[in-house]
Amino acid sequence: MEVNSKFKELTVQQLQARQKMVTGLLVGFGIVTLISLAALSYLLAKGSSNNTMTMLTLGCSVTLLFSSIYLMLIAAEIKLRNSK
């Protein structure tokens, strides 16, 4: 795995800094996703179709998925190094 080889080159402090950054990104994208879901629900209940809001919500959801996978990989690498 290419990502794991990049993690092996970083120190634990650098990994923890990346973990903190990715966690912040996840929180930010989560808030944007919730707001866009609420706005999309309101617009759909109102009867108007808004394709832009749908794409924004789907894009944020995909970003959340990949960011959470990346965060889990970082956490696994930190746990592996701390167990040594």
Side-chain angles (χ1 to χ4, degrees), residues 23-83:
T23 302
L25 286 174
L26 276 173
V27 169
F29 277 119
I31 291 170
V32 169
T33 303
L34 287 176
I35 290 170
S36 63
L37 275 173
L40 181 63
S41 299
Y42 172 75
L43 290 173
L44 288 176
K46 190 176 174 183
S48 64
S49 175
N50 192 346
N51 292 333
T52 305
M53 189 65 73
T54 305
M55 287 298 151
L56 174 69
T57 304
L58 290 175
C60 286
S61 299
V62 170
T63 303
L64 279 172
L65 175 69
F66 289 129
S67 296
S68 62
I69 292 171
Y70 188 72
L71 184 64
M72 287 190 302
L73 287 173
I74 292 173
E77 183 68 27
I78 291 173
K79 185 177 180 181
L80 178 70
R81 289 188 187 186
N82 287 338
S83 67

